[in-house]
Amino acid sequence: MSPVAGAALPDLATSGGLFARLRDAARPSWESYVAHPFVKGMGDGSLPEASFRHYLVQDYLFLIHFARAYALAAYKADSLADMRSAARSMSAILDLEMGLHVKYCAGWGLSEADMAATPEAQATLAYTRFVLERGMAGDLLDLHVALAPCVVGYAEIAAGLLADAATRLDGNPYRAWIEMYADPEYRTVAHAQVELLDRLSSARGGEARFADLTRTFDAASRLEAGFWEMGLTLAG
Ligand SMILES: Cc1ncc(CN)c(N)n1
C-alpha cells in the first residue's frame, strides 16, 4: 500500500550511525540535493514535463551503471551474505526501479530501445563513473559510501515530499515517482543500505577513515544535485 500525503515517514538514519554522521558532515551538499528546485517541482507538479523526461531517460542510463556498481560490490564482498545483499540490490534496480522508467517513457511513445540509444549527459557520466571509480580504487566501504546518497537520498526525498504541505498528489504527473520512492519496498532497500554502512564501518576501520569517507559522500551528494540540475536545464 502506498503512503499518503501529509503522513511524515520517520528518518531512515540511525542517530550516531555512519550514514547520519556523513550526512551531517556533508550537510550543505546534502541539502543542495534533497531540496533542489527539481524536487520541489515534482512535489507541486510544476516541473516542466520536458525536464522530467530528460531526467528520466538519463536516469535509465544511470541505473544501468548503478546495477554494474552492485555487481562490483558482489565481486568485492568477502562474505556470502554481502554477495547476496549486492545481488538483491542489483535485481531491485534492474527489475523494480527501471520498470517505472520504462512505463513512464512508454506513455510518451519512447521505447526502451530509444532510451538505451540516448547519449549519456555529462552529469550522468560524471556521477556513474565516479561511483564505479570509488569502488574499483577503494574497498567495499568506499563503494557503499559512494552509493549511499543515491539509495537513501531518494527515500528521504520522497518522504519529505509526502510530509510537505506544498505537495499535491491529485492530478500530479509525478505522483507515481513520489509513491514509488516512498513505498515500503524501496524504504526497506534504503534502510538495508544504512545498516550495511554501519556493519562495514566497524569491520573496515570506518572511524579512522571518516574524513576520507566524508569527501566521497560529499562528492556523491553534489553529483546528485548536478543530476537534478541537468534535468532542469536539459543539459547534455
Ligand atoms: C540519480 C539517481 N539517484 C538516486 C536514485 C535512486 N536509486 C536514482 N534512481 N537516480
Side-chain angles (χ1 to χ4, degrees), residues 12-100:
L12 283 160
T14 324
S15 146
L18 180 62
F19 180 84
R21 291 176 58 218
L22 288 169
R23 191 179 54 184
D24 282 347
R27 193 49 83 176
S29 302
W30 184 259
E31 290 303 323
S32 74
Y33 162 34
V34 298
H36 193 276
F38 190 104
V39 172
K40 308 260 177 229
M42 282 195 293
D44 63 15
S46 66
L47 181 73
E49 184 185 301
S51 289
F52 187 72
R53 230 174 124 130
H54 184 56
Y55 153 78
L56 206 61
V57 172
Q58 288 301 317
D59 206 48
Y60 173 87
L61 302 170
F62 166 93
L63 287 174
I64 294 171
H65 294 288
F66 260 56
R68 293 174 64 220
Y70 277 106
L72 179 61
Y75 174 79
K76 293 230 165 187
D78 48 19
S79 74
L80 267 183
D82 285 351
M83 280 183 88
R84 289 198 175 103
S85 141
R88 274 196 300 276
S89 299
M90 191 174 87
S91 95
I93 291 172
L94 295 174
D95 303 328
L96 178 78
E97 219 178 330
M98 285 176 86
L100 177 83

Side-chain angles (χ1 to χ4, degrees), residues 33 55 59 62-63 97 127 150-151 154 181 186 224 227:
Y33 162 34
Y55 153 78
D59 206 48
F62 166 93
L63 287 174
E97 219 178 330
Y127 190 10
C150 159
V151 185
Y154 271 36
Y181 290 108
Y186 187 78
E224 280 286 0
F227 206 86

